[in-house]
Amino acid sequence: MTDFDDDAAGSIASAALAVLREQGPLSLEEWATHLEEYGTATELADVLEYLSEPMLGYLPNGKYVALDTVLEGLVFTHRLSEVEIASDILDASPDLEPILAFGDDDGAIRVALAEEAASERGAAPFRSRRVVVLPAGTLGECADGDLVGLAVEDGTLAFRLVEIEDEPDLAPALGELFEEDGVEALDSVCWQLLIEDPSLFTVPVAPLGEIFEVAGYEHERELLARRGFDFDAYDLQIRTALVASTYDLTHDEAVSAVAFVDLADRGYTDAVIADFDIADWAHRHVSAAPDSFVSLADPGAAVAVFDLGFRNQDPVTDAILGALASELAERGPRSVRAAAHWLAGKAVDRLGRVLEAEAHYEKALLAESGWGPALFELAQFASDRGDATRALSLLGRIDGGSEENLYAVLQDFVPADHPELGRNDKCWCGSGRKYKVCHLGKADESVKADGRWLYKKACLFAFASEFVDIVTGLDDLENENLSEDELIAATIFDGSALDVALFEGGIFAEFLARRSELLPEAEVVTAAQWPGIRRSVYEVIETSDTGVVLLDRGSKETVTVAHSVEGEPGDVISARVLTAPTGAFAVGVVVMATESQAARVLEVLASEDLEAEELVRELRGGADHSTDDR
């Protein structure tokens, strides 16, 4: 896609919608020709195809339309249920789907995700994925089965009590839109109908769901098709194609991955409904067709199963997936054993059984010595144990292993060679022992004792998929104002986001819970002190060869840290100062731009209910605040 800067992209978006409002529905190519002052038709087509605007609609015939020009002044009806009346929340699908773009946060009536709205109002679950949230008390005088309407007025949603004034027959028009076995987005179909007949919905008519039923159509989720359409098969077909595309899998590999995850999902549903023996359930389902998942042997297919199957952080899901994978490892074809042991290892690792996970990864390599995902997990475990040499050796057996973050981290902790010493010479460290029994092939113990490797181990643990939303969310928030060059130069190890994710985001506590069995004993003792250490704001007082002296603006105490802080006396930073046997060191260092920013950060840090997002927002400069000079 062609890159435009933010100003140009905003101008193109505004002009593009203006063109649609003036010209009506246009194909991508037609649309681009009206905007040639901004670039070539090819360049603009790339931009327009990915344009994200609430008022932009896509039609079944492949054209684009400005929704406000089509829907302004129209009214859509909905028949109430007792749950909706009690909560003042309306199920959106199918009746209100065409006008959901108008329910923004600025209006009295808003559109929200069903789960969030139900939680907010203490309501029972809703059928729809999205719902319309009305002001509290709106439906107080209504009864079950009453008809209400939502109209688009001046670009916002307005609530009405209505009576049906027309009975449109949409069967002929729908027949023109649908192929025999076709399926379309429900809102898109309605927009197309309105373009062909602008008189529709100008007065209250029956709810869309009832009109579609009379016409011989049915809906599921946000889709519409002729009655009898197999929505489940269509959903499976779409999901399989998406998995194949996302993970670069063959059709058979994608089918196996989706089938394995669906089986686990059925197991989860069964487990919620009734308590049962998960191991026995897994045994029955795998032994009934042990060859069903043979295509999971490909690492990409196994990774797809992990990403999809472990998407919810739920111990029941982990237990079911682990049991299925263990059964597949024992009873499935030999070709799939490496993948099955890896999946079983991932499951028990998430359940806190790291040594059992390690055993599964070792068995994966017995089944297939070069199986990359298992090699990587064992490399991380070797690093956690403090064995950089073995970790690098394992990474060296992976195609592209030298490009992993772990490889770069380990370079600082590999054993230092002393070629000037013979094996039987006294060791360079002064212990009096022979070099071969002291430091030959081993990292300097001072490196392990200064806390840096321990902290990097926790950082690497935070890259696990179950924490990706926390880490990337904070990283995006921290970097949202950076220029393109600054973004390219930045890494996730820089700045505050990863550190805040570890501590305020709770990942470090999970790291201790799941990795303490692997960490050297001294590191466990050191790590146990860190969760209680908060960030603070510091002033650089003095720099010397022995370290940097910092004054804590909060406690007024001074601390000397190793050379992990760059700055001159008088500079103000925010950092977390961690303790280690060899002294203190600072992590997540951020330079304060102004005194007012430093004061705001200190205020946030003093809060009892410290929120990670608010902290990162202030650390990056508080975009909502004006800056002033120190």
Side-chain angles (χ1 to χ4, degrees):
M1 188 177 72
T2 303
D3 290 327
F4 291 89
D5 62 33
D6 291 342
D7 290 340
S11 297
I12 293 171
S14 298
L17 281 173
V19 166
L20 286 181
R21 290 180 177 121
E22 180 180 342
Q23 300 292 329
L26 296 171
S27 69
L28 195 62
E29 294 74 17
E30 293 168 339
W31 197 11
T33 60
H34 288 278
L35 297 163
E36 289 184 339
E37 64 185 282
Y38 295 98
T40 67
T42 301
E43 291 173 338
L44 289 165
D46 284 342
V47 175
L48 295 174
E49 188 174 6
Y50 292 96
L51 190 62
S52 178
E53 289 288 333
M55 289 300 114
L56 182 61
Y58 184 72
L59 302 174
N61 63 7
K63 293 190 175 184
Y64 295 82
V65 65
L67 296 180
D68 46 2
T69 62
V70 176
L71 295 165
E72 179 65 33
L74 303 186
V75 58
F76 289 80
T77 64
H78 177 73
R79 206 170 295 282
L80 294 175
S81 69
E82 292 181 354
V83 171
E84 292 171 314
I85 295 169
S87 61
D88 290 298
I89 297 174
L90 305 179
D91 258 315
S93 183
D95 301 335
L96 307 174
E97 282 286 345
I99 54 174
L100 294 185
F102 296 90
D104 58 32
D105 291 336
D106 296 332
I109 299 174
R110 59 188 173 86
V111 174
L113 294 175
E115 186 175 348
E116 294 176 359
S119 175
E120 175 188 325
R121 295 272 175 98
F126 291 88
R127 297 187 306 272
S128 302
R129 185 177 66 87
R130 292 187 294 174
V131 293
V132 177
V133 182
L134 304 173
T138 300
L139 304 177
E141 301 299 320
C142 297
D144 186 24
D146 280 357
L147 202 65
V148 296
L150 284 183
V152 180
E153 297 180 354
D154 297 324
T156 61
L157 296 179
F159 175 79
R160 294 181 182 176
L161 294 173
V162 297
E163 293 183 359
I164 295 176
E165 298 182 23
D166 191 16
E167 295 279 355
D169 178 12
L170 297 183
L174 288 170
E176 294 293 324
L177 290 178
F178 281 85
E179 297 179 0
E180 187 65 32
D181 294 321
V183 60
E184 299 285 351
L186 189 151
D187 54 5
S188 182
V189 167
C190 290
W191 301 333
Q192 186 72 54
L193 292 173
L194 285 166
I195 290 167
E196 296 175 3
D197 183 0
S199 68
L200 286 173
F201 306 108
T202 53
V203 297
V205 300
L208 278 174
E210 297 175 15
I211 295 175
F212 289 144
E213 185 176 3
V214 171
Y217 290 77
E218 58 185 338
H219 69 92
E220 186 165 316
R221 296 175 294 277
E222 289 131 25
L223 299 174
L224 185 69
R226 297 179 191 273
R227 186 177 293 122
F229 182 80
D230 192 338
F231 283 101
D232 289 337
Y234 177 76
D235 178 65
L236 180 61
Q237 176 186 346
I238 294 299
R239 287 192 296 126
T240 301
L242 180 60
V243 168
S245 173
T246 301
Y247 295 94
D248 194 21
L249 305 179
T250 66
H251 176 72
D252 288 346
E253 289 166 351
V255 167
S256 287
V258 172
F260 193 87
V261 173
D262 284 351
L263 177 58
D265 285 344
R266 290 200 299 275
Y268 179 84
T269 301
D270 292 345
V272 170
I273 295 173
D275 187 24
F276 66 89
D277 187 320
I278 291 176
D280 178 67
W281 177 89
H283 171 70
R284 285 188 286 106
H285 281 82
V286 173
S287 60
D291 295 330
S292 298
F293 305 108
V294 65
S295 293
L296 293 182
D298 179 78
V303 169
V305 168
F306 174 73
D307 287 350
L308 300 169
F310 291 88
R311 62 193 180 278
N312 300 321
Q313 294 199 43
D314 187 294
V316 176
T317 299
D318 295 342
I320 289 172
L321 282 162
L324 285 172
S326 293
E327 279 294 320
L328 189 61
E330 294 298 321
R331 307 180 192 285
R334 183 176 181 82
S335 62
V336 82
R337 288 179 188 172
H341 274 300
W342 177 75
L343 285 168
K346 296 293 285 185
V348 295
D349 182 10
R350 285 164 58 107
L351 291 168
R353 305 191 321 246
V354 65
L355 298 182
E356 189 177 337
E358 186 174 39
H360 274 295
Y361 300 145
E362 295 285 6
K363 289 179 180 178
L365 296 188
L366 288 176
E368 188 173 336
S369 61
W371 213 75
L375 286 167
F376 180 76
E377 299 296 338
L378 290 172
Q380 289 213 122
F381 285 2
S383 173
D384 289 340
R385 283 196 164 97
D387 191 344
T389 301
R390 181 166 192 261
L392 287 169
S393 175
L394 289 163
L395 287 176
R397 293 163 58 184
I398 303 173
D399 185 22
S402 61
E403 299 173 8
E404 297 286 349
N405 283 322
L406 176 58
Y407 184 91
V409 167
L410 289 171
Q411 301 310 303
D412 290 334
F413 307 109
V414 292
D417 289 332
H418 287 266
E420 76 279 6
L421 295 177
R423 291 171 54 85
N424 293 315
D425 290 341
K426 286 187 177 182
C427 189
W428 56 268
C429 72
S431 67
R433 294 184 296 171
K434 293 180 179 180
Y435 179 41
K436 67 181 180 182
V437 296
C438 191
H439 268 99
L440 180 59
K442 301 175 185 176
D444 182 353
E445 289 303 314
S446 65
V447 171
K448 295 182 180 181
D450 69 9
R452 290 179 300 137
W453 196 355
L454 172 60
Y455 183 74
K456 285 295 181 67
K457 293 174 186 178
C459 290
L460 292 167
F461 177 82
F463 294 160
S465 62
E466 56 262 47
F467 309 122
V468 66
D469 289 342
I470 299 173
V471 174
T472 58
L474 293 176
D475 189 57
D476 290 345
L477 179 60
E478 180 179 49
N479 294 325
E480 66 180 8
N481 291 333
L482 295 187
S483 68
E484 184 175 349
D485 289 342
E486 288 171 326
L487 281 172
I488 293 172
T491 74
I492 202 165
F493 286 107
D494 298 324
S496 63
L498 185 51
D499 178 71
V500 173
L502 279 173
F503 292 95
E504 282 73 25
I507 299 175
F508 189 80
E510 187 72 8
F511 169 70
L512 278 184
R514 286 170 49 182
R515 291 294 178 267
S516 289
E517 288 184 273
L518 299 181
L519 297 174
E521 185 177 346
E523 286 191 344
V524 174
V525 173
T526 298
Q529 304 170 30
W530 289 0
I533 299 176
R534 276 201 172 190
R535 295 182 69 90
S536 191
V537 173
Y538 297 91
E539 182 178 342
V540 178
I541 301 299
E542 180 185 343
T543 62
S544 68
D545 292 339
T546 59
V548 180
V549 179
L550 302 175
L551 171 65
D552 189 332
R553 287 276 185 93
S555 68
K556 308 303 181 185
E557 297 177 351
T558 60
V559 60
T560 301
V561 299
H563 288 284
S564 51
V565 175
E566 295 182 2
E568 299 296 330
D571 288 347
V572 180
I573 64 170
S574 176
R576 193 183 313 274
V577 176
L578 299 175
T579 56
T582 59
F585 66 107
V587 295
V589 178
V590 179
V591 178
M592 300 288 93
T594 66
E595 281 291 346
S596 61
Q597 181 196 7
R600 289 193 302 270
V601 170
L602 202 56
E603 182 181 354
V604 171
L605 289 169
S607 171
E608 291 185 6
D609 300 319
L610 181 57
E611 295 185 0
E613 292 82 1
E614 182 182 8
L615 176 55
V616 170
R617 190 174 292 111
E618 293 298 347
L619 288 169
R620 70 167 168 80
D624 297 332
H625 302 289
S626 60
T627 59
D628 55 337
D629 295 329
R630 282 207 303 261

Coordinates of all heavy atoms in Angstrom, one line a residue, residues 23 223 238 292 321 392 458 566:
Q23 N -21.4 12.0 -5.8 CA -21.5 11.1 -7.0 C -22.4 9.9 -6.7 O -22.9 9.3 -7.7 CB -20.2 10.7 -7.5 CG -19.2 11.8 -7.8 CD -19.7 12.5 -9.1 OE1 -20.3 12.0 -10.0 NE2 -19.4 13.8 -9.1
L223 N -25.0 -12.0 9.0 CA -25.1 -12.5 7.6 C -26.6 -12.8 7.3 O -27.4 -13.1 8.1 CB -24.2 -13.7 7.4 CG -22.7 -13.6 7.7 CD1 -22.1 -14.9 7.6 CD2 -22.1 -12.6 6.7
I238 N -15.0 -20.3 5.7 CA -14.3 -19.0 5.9 C -13.2 -19.1 6.9 O -12.1 -18.6 6.6 CB -15.3 -18.0 6.3 CG1 -16.3 -17.8 5.2 CG2 -14.6 -16.7 6.6 CD1 -15.8 -17.3 3.9
S292 N -6.8 -38.4 12.3 CA -7.6 -37.2 11.8 C -6.7 -36.0 11.8 O -7.0 -35.1 11.0 CB -8.8 -37.0 12.8 OG -9.7 -38.1 12.7
L321 N -6.9 -28.8 25.9 CA -5.9 -28.8 24.8 C -4.7 -29.7 25.2 O -4.2 -30.4 24.3 CB -5.5 -27.4 24.5 CG -6.5 -26.6 23.7 CD1 -6.2 -25.1 23.8 CD2 -6.5 -27.0 22.2
L392 N 22.3 -21.0 23.2 CA 22.7 -20.6 21.8 C 22.9 -21.8 20.9 O 22.6 -21.7 19.7 CB 24.0 -19.8 22.0 CG 23.9 -18.4 22.5 CD1 25.3 -17.9 22.8 CD2 23.2 -17.5 21.5
A458 N 12.9 -12.1 32.3 CA 11.5 -11.7 32.5 C 10.9 -11.0 31.2 O 9.7 -11.2 30.9 CB 11.3 -10.8 33.7
E566 N 22.0 7.2 31.3 CA 22.8 8.2 30.6 C 22.2 9.6 30.9 O 21.0 9.7 30.8 CB 22.8 8.0 29.1 CG 23.5 6.7 28.6 CD 23.5 6.5 27.1 OE1 23.0 7.4 26.4 OE2 24.0 5.5 26.6

